[in-house]
Amino acid sequence: MNRIGFLAVAACALLAGGGAQAGYSWSYSTTDCSVPSGGTACSMTGLAAGTPTLTTTAYSNTNGSSTTPDTYKLETAYLSVYSGGLGVTNRDAGSGPGQDLNEGIDPEHSIDNNQRYDSVLLNFGAATRLTSLTIGWSYNDSDMTVLAYTGTGNPTSNLANLSYSQLTANGWTLVGSYSNVALNTLQGINAANIVSQYWMIGAINPLVDTASTLTTGDDYVKLLSVAGDTTTIGKQVPEPASVLLTGAALAVLAWSRRLMSARH
């Protein structure tokens, strides 16, 4: 290969290299995600060195006092880690009027949609594209709903003012609802390749996905792991290093073309 051909190939390699993405996975276990008694959140890094820290917080629609819990606002719930993954106990647990009967007792120690809708909020600290999730335990049914925050600012400061039915009008995007998620098997999600720092995963939630038909019977699941990659695709602004690489590659291509024109 002559010098000009080598420069052109090098330029193309620079351009291709600028779009590289790093894949990561986060596994919830008693060692990676330790929650104290009565805790609502945990933070952990992933399985590989350099994995961004993931903070996970439990939520449920328990902030209300009327006879229609579906209108209740979101508030933090109690997070637990089991061998099968994350479980949630909401603040309405009890046997009194208006309380969530049997909440916190098997199977309602999981992420469930019996009387209240449990979910977990995932904050990756940086733009992340989730690609799959895994559950390690289920009971009765295992339909799930996933959302991503595509609005501006930090959504956690406003969650206590919103019900589930208000999320999509306040910056949250429905990623999808998934039927009969299998145990210990990667469940692909996010076909639209949405990128977000904040994600919400829960049992199937018709308050969010009003068109879903996956609502027969109650769903009980424990979230075992999630996987995805950090990326600069979509509307993300390229990092300075990426801009410099792209500029250098284009400059090399332009120079090689001038040399070729001068020889002919």
Side-chain angles (χ1 to χ4, degrees), residues 1-179:
M1 180 183 295
N2 60 30
R3 183 181 179 186
I4 294 176
F6 173 80
L7 289 171
V9 170
C12 292
L14 279 172
L15 285 171
Q21 300 150 4
Y24 299 102
S25 63
W26 294 261
S27 178
Y28 295 102
S29 70
T30 54
T31 54
D32 295 332
C33 180
S34 178
V35 184
S37 177
T40 61
C42 74
S43 295
M44 65 174 181
T45 57
L47 298 178
T51 305
T53 297
L54 168 60
T55 300
T56 305
T57 308
Y59 278 90
S60 194
N61 57 329
T62 54
N63 185 7
S65 58
S66 71
T67 58
T68 53
D70 286 1
T71 65
Y72 289 2
K73 309 298 184 183
L74 290 167
E75 64 181 349
T76 56
Y78 305 114
L79 189 69
S80 298
V81 183
Y82 303 95
S83 58
L86 295 181
V88 172
T89 299
N90 68 50
R91 295 177 183 269
D92 272 2
S95 58
Q99 292 183 304
D100 190 346
L101 182 64
N102 294 324
E103 177 65 17
I105 302 172
D106 187 6
E108 290 189 53
H109 63 309
S110 59
I111 302 171
D112 71 83
N113 53 15
N114 182 316
Q115 300 183 71
R116 306 292 186 269
Y117 292 93
D118 301 333
S119 57
V120 288
L121 176 73
L122 280 56
N123 179 0
F124 291 92
T128 301
R129 176 176 54 191
L130 282 190
T131 55
S132 68
L133 62 84
T134 306
I135 62 171
W137 182 94
S138 69
Y139 175 80
N140 189 58
D141 202 3
S142 56
D143 302 334
M144 302 180 70
T145 294
V146 179
L147 299 98
Y149 185 69
T150 54
T152 58
N154 184 342
T156 61
S157 62
N158 194 40
L159 277 180
N161 298 317
L162 300 175
S163 64
Y164 276 117
S165 61
Q166 294 173 317
L167 290 181
T168 55
N170 286 272
W172 287 89
T173 296
L174 175 64
V175 176
S177 291
Y178 306 92
S179 174

